[in-house]
Each structure stands twice: as C-alpha cells, then as structure tokens.
Amino acid sequence: MTASLPLTIPSTTDDVWSVSQLSASVKRLLEGHPMPLWVRGEVVQCKVWSSGHWYFTLRDKKTQVRCCLFGLNAARAGKPPADGTEVYVLGRPGLYEEKGEFQLVVSRILPTSAVGMKQQELERVKALLQQDGLFDPARKRRLPSYASTIALVTSRDGAAVHDVVTVTRKRWPCARLLVVAAKVQGEGAVEDLVRALRLVNRLPGVDLCIVGRGGGAREDLAAFNSEAVCRALAAVRVPTISAVGHEIDISLTDLVADVRAATPSAAAELAVADRRDVLRLIDDLSVRLASGLTGRTRLVAERLARAADRLHGRAEAALDLRRNQVERLAAQLEALSPLKVLGRGYAVPIAPDGRVLKRQAEFVRDERFQLRVVDGTIDARVES
C-alpha cells in the first residue's frame, strides 16, 4: 500500500508565492555566488545584437546553458566565435527573470586553442628579452629626485591621463606633463606604442617617461607584452616607469622598465616629489643652517674681539715709540734753532737782499741792514 502526503490548501494568499517571487528568489540565490567561474564548452547559436551584446549557448556532451556577453566586454573580445568553437568563458550564474531561464553572465571569452598559443608566444618573447639582458637589475636607472618634465605614453581617452595629472598637480604642481598619445589595446596598438616611445627620445628636456594604461582585462595587456614595445621602452634615453594598471598580472614592460608601478596614480607618486615633504626638508635645513651660522658667527666675533685687542695694544706701543722719537728730534731741533741762540742775547745781521752778513768785509759804509733779534728786527746802518 502506498502512502500519500496530504495536500493542504493554503488558508491565505500570504502562504503562496507568485512566479515573479519565485524567479527573484532563485536569482538572488544564484547571484549570491561570490566569485566568477571559468567554464569550458562549445559555442553554438551566437547572435550579435545592435546594442553590441552577444547571446549564445555553451554546451558539452551532456548539457547546455544560455550565455550573454554585454557590449563593453563583447567589444574587448573581438570577433564573435563561429559555431562549434571551443572556448573558455568567465562568468557568473544568474537568472533571466522574465522567462525564468538560468543563464551565465559572461565577462571574458577565450578560444581554448588561443590560450596555449598566446602563452607560448609570451614565454618566447620573455626568453629573448632575458637573454639580451633587458631584465638585468644592473641596467635599471634611478629615478630623478625632482623631475620637472615628464612624458606620459598612454591613450588620450583613458583614465591614466586623469589619474597622473591629478596626482602630479597635488604633489608637485610645477612639473610639466607631456602626453604622447598612443593606442594601448587592439589593432595597431603595438605600432602606436613603439612610435610614441621613439618620439619621447626626440622631445627636449624630458626627465622621465611613464608608459601604461588604466587597468583592463588580461587580454588587453597584449601590446605591453610585445617584443617591439619592450625593446622600444628599453631604448628610451631617460628613466622609465611601467604602469599597466593590472596588479594581478605582470607585463613584460614591467620587467623591462626601470621601475614598475601598480597603477598610473602610483607611477605619478614615484615620478614627482611631494612639495609638503620638500617644504619640511627646507624648514629643517633652515633651522640647521641658522643654528650653524649662529655658532659660527659667535666664534668669529670672539676671534675678532681678541684680534682687535691685540691690534689695539700693538698700535698703542707703536704710537708711544713714535711719540718718543718725535720728542727727541724736537729737542734736538730746538737746541739747533737760531731763535734759541738769539734768546741768549745774540743778533743776526741781514742784508736787504736777505743774505746773512757773516764777515766784516760784507759791511759797507752807509749801507742799511737789519738786525734779527729774538723778538723781531731792528733797522740799522753801517757808520764806520
């Protein structure tokens, strides 16, 4: 005898779920998965809508699941895969509520054959660059402490330009930033990056070069793993920073550049000094210089005072010596002075032409002359 479960009719509508409630509940349950999943399968019935979205079915031998790849991620994926192409997709499980259909919301799609080939090419290029010494730490150059002109090789439309400009203006506003525009992904990106890096070598006054992009999926980094780009970067005449903006994966340009930065913002912080740190350094040096000058000035003043005392003493001694010599000479001159002789009662006859009459023969009868005495002259005449 088979037992059967009793069917109880709900007493109120609150005990009954609507289809929408059921779909929403299942969707929340599915989308609550914290991490995206890699799924391998075969693509069939891939349709590209005018919005840019891709809708396709992913299947294996036992089952299949509907998938959607939205516009931005679809544009990165490139050409839609043909029916029967085996691929890896990265996606999150979800539910299309209107139809109650389980689906996989895909963010990345890679052909399984391409994965191995790309990795092999990456390893080949890496081995060549390493053999030529482009990864050698000995060739790495130090970044300038105070770069005034910086070349930024990146896409003009990307977030890297905004990030670098913002950080540079905040830290070192006087720095000059030269944006050398180049494609950073897709067709022609390798050629564009090589051209831009070669152009940096022709720009006058450049102190530093930053090359990179503002993040992206792993396949978007292909240009930065190119041998041509890596060799062009190694040939840049000034120190270089690679800022690809993808912290999980390291590109080959990260290994070739003199310094690697995780993001363009981090590259800008490495490229320029922080004016606040510089001002603090200047203040510290000013205090140390003032203290040193004060001590040195005090020492010099003390030495000058001692030297002045010595000079003053020597000058006084020299003056005393000269004063004594002058006094002795004055005494000697005083003793030899004719006025001194006249003071003892003598007189000197002087002819009209100013000659001193020394002999009797020089006196002529009736000729006038003067007698010079101690306090003046007297007119006289020869009588006999």
Side-chain angles (χ1 to χ4, degrees), residues 1 12 45 65-66 68 88 107 116 163 177 198 242 254 266 293 309 326 339 351 367 377-378:
M1 184 174 179
T12 65
Q45 299 176 354
V65 61
R66 293 185 181 275
C68 60
Y88 293 119
S107 58
D163 294 344
L177 196 62
R198 288 174 178 172
S242 175
D254 291 337
L293 287 175
D309 291 340
V326 169
L339 296 177
E367 186 175 299
T377 58
I378 301 172

Side-chain angles (χ1 to χ4, degrees), residues 161-176:
V161 173
H162 175 268
D163 294 344
V164 173
V165 169
T166 300
V167 173
T168 303
R169 285 179 177 175
K170 181 180 179 181
R171 290 173 62 88
W172 199 245
C174 61
R176 187 168 61 130

Side-chain angles (χ1 to χ4, degrees), residues 219-236:
E219 58 268 21
D220 296 335
L221 311 182
F224 296 92
N225 289 323
S226 162
E227 181 180 358
V229 172
C230 289
R231 294 192 182 277
L233 179 62
V236 174

